[in-house]
Amino acid sequence: MTTLGYDADLGYEPVFQLEDEALKCPYEHFRTARSSCPVSFSGALGFWVVSDHKHVLEVLKDTVTFSTKEMLGPQVAREWQMLIDKAAESPEAKQIIGADYGSSPRKTLLFADPPAHTKHRKLITSALSPAAIKSWEERITETAGHYVDTLAEKSAVEFVTDFATPYTMAVIADILGLDRALVPRLLGWAEGFNSMVGNPNLTESELDALVNVRLSFDMFFAELITERRANPGADLISRVVVINDELDEPLTTDELLMVLQLTLVGGSDTSSTALAKMIEYLAAHPAQWETMRADPKAIQPFMDELLRTESPVQGMFRAVTRDVELDGRQMKAGDVVWVSLGSANRDPEVFPHPDDKDVTRKGTAGRFVAFGGGPHVCPGSPLTRMELRIVLEKLTGRFAGVALDGAAPPSKKSFLFFGPAHLPVTFHS
């Protein structure tokens, strides 16, 4: 191992270059690095890669040294700011949202470091309290039943676009207190925002089109914030607005819009990606479906193993704020680090026989980093786990099994989100 300069090709560059074969099993491309050089620098990519569980957790926990402000990467950070700046040029938006619209860089939650992050996180965890999540369970169960009922009417389905994405977005609509009829519009916004993530190949025209996504989202939700402030209910928007207004230093409207955007995008896409990957796996392993159909209690450990081995979020960036040594490697202030969650979740030092989906494995959820780690661990993970459990209960309770129609599907064109781009399946009664 060298302490200076570039490391030899360790096999992970094709993932970031969005090569189709590499995206099918991205975590496999970090195996060599994890075992021989867990903290490595790629000259081709221009950033560090951390691939073992120990050092991934070390980076995630040290928010002073490893900043989250560019957690999607420097390129996305620049593009994100460009969208905000261009949207803020709209006179109509200034009139509806306020004269200060666009003045905040919106570094909230995932994009904020303590102490600001601590304030933001307290706001969202208070709004996503166990009691609040429990109060939404009945509605989410009804939503899951509605979407499963639509499957009963078909012999085949494109699971990603016709079920996973609308179902998980409908759950977000449920907790935001929005009508299910708005799901297509919500999906359009989420698709626009997510098209920037893990994809370095956007054209200028595609970026320009996203300005309208930014603007229409902000105007719609700014009006909702005003409405819920005047007439609060039990939904998440009302809870966030009410709790925020009681803070000594409340978030601005721009910052509240970012909180709601992260709820919309992070809450729906991660869940739909995880659900699609679970169904893809079950199509190839009918015995696991039969086990869960016979005993719904088997669903939770199955979910944990799939979230570990097929992490829907494969990693995230951190920016180095000061010179630091990690595993004997010298990083400099200003360097960029990719922490590989997918690789860490298959570290044999933590998970014996890590490639096996062992549903008898104990303590998986307490050790995996599928939802991140440290202060930035996903506050919505209990909601995600609930919506996945409920829909899997509904699916296995209704159908005897599921089969993949055709060859193995391609993966999403993203080095961050991992899951099938399309998933044609047939459910069997």
Side-chain angles (χ1 to χ4, degrees), residues 73-332:
Q75 178 178 331
V76 174
R78 291 192 298 271
E79 293 171 347
W80 208 279
Q81 190 60 51
M82 181 272 288
L83 297 186
I84 293 173
D85 292 342
K86 287 193 174 183
E89 295 172 0
S90 165
E92 184 182 5
K94 294 280 190 181
Q95 182 178 4
I96 292 175
I97 301 174
D100 292 337
Y101 173 60
S103 62
S104 166
R106 304 192 187 192
K107 298 296 186 182
T108 61
L109 291 173
L110 295 177
F111 304 97
D113 297 321
H117 172 264
T118 305
K119 180 178 72 171
H120 305 161
R121 187 175 181 86
K122 184 177 180 180
L123 169 65
I124 198 66
T125 54
S126 298
L128 284 171
S129 68
I133 293 174
K134 183 66 177 176
S135 73
W136 299 321
E137 183 171 5
E138 183 178 352
R139 174 62 176 163
I140 293 171
T141 300
E142 190 275 328
T143 295
H146 165 79
Y147 280 94
V148 171
D149 285 346
T150 66
L151 292 178
E153 301 169 1
K154 301 177 181 179
S155 59
V157 64
E158 202 300 285
F159 190 78
V160 174
T161 57
D162 292 345
F163 188 95
T165 53
Y167 163 67
T168 55
M169 186 57 79
V171 170
I172 297 300
D174 289 342
I175 70 169
L176 293 177
L178 303 177
D179 192 278
R180 192 181 292 153
L182 287 169
V183 165
R185 191 176 185 186
L186 300 176
L187 284 172
W189 284 322
E191 182 180 349
F193 291 132
N194 280 338
S195 68
M196 303 171 63
V197 179
N199 183 358
N201 301 325
L202 287 177
T203 65
E204 285 298 319
S205 61
E206 288 172 328
L207 285 170
D208 286 341
L210 292 177
V211 176
N212 289 329
V213 173
R214 168 83 280 153
L215 187 59
S216 60
F217 175 93
D218 288 349
M219 292 175 67
F220 178 85
F221 279 94
E223 290 185 317
L224 278 180
I225 288 170
T226 300
E227 175 190 314
R228 302 297 167 81
R229 179 172 283 123
N231 299 289
D235 58 273
L236 183 65
I237 298 175
S238 296
R239 292 177 62 84
V240 166
V241 170
V242 169
I243 295 170
N244 182 65
D245 286 351
E246 294 174 350
L247 297 176
D248 292 336
E249 297 180 8
L251 273 64
T252 65
T253 297
D254 274 11
E255 290 169 332
L256 285 176
L257 289 171
M258 190 61 180
V259 169
L260 295 177
Q261 178 186 327
L262 291 173
T263 301
L264 182 80
V265 176
S268 62
D269 200 83
T270 303
S271 300
S272 64
T273 300
L275 178 58
K277 198 66 186 177
M278 290 175 186
I279 295 300
E280 181 184 10
Y281 177 84
L282 289 168
H285 299 82
Q288 181 62 45
W289 184 284
E290 294 170 4
T291 297
M292 294 174 1
R293 180 174 172 83
D295 180 13
K297 291 181 180 179
I299 291 175
Q300 192 67 60
F302 163 76
M303 286 170 42
D304 288 343
E305 276 294 86
L306 264 290
L307 287 168
R308 180 184 69 81
T309 57
E310 314 290 346
S311 304
V313 176
Q314 281 289 300
M316 55 192 66
F317 287 103
R318 292 290 187 265
V320 182
T321 63
R322 60 188 181 187
D323 292 0
V324 64
E325 186 175 288
L326 187 68
D327 193 37
R329 310 303 303 277
Q330 187 62 50
M331 297 178 175
K332 299 291 186 181

Side-chain angles (χ1 to χ4, degrees), residues 305 308 351-354 356 358-364 367:
E305 276 294 86
R308 180 184 69 81
F351 305 101
H353 307 290
D356 295 344
D358 181 1
V359 295
T360 67
R361 199 186 300 270
K362 303 297 182 184
T364 299
R367 292 178 293 162

Side-chain angles (χ1 to χ4, degrees), residues 46-57:
F47 53 77
W48 294 89
V49 173
V50 181
S51 52
D52 68 325
H53 191 275
K54 174 184 174 182
H55 293 102
V56 163
L57 267 185

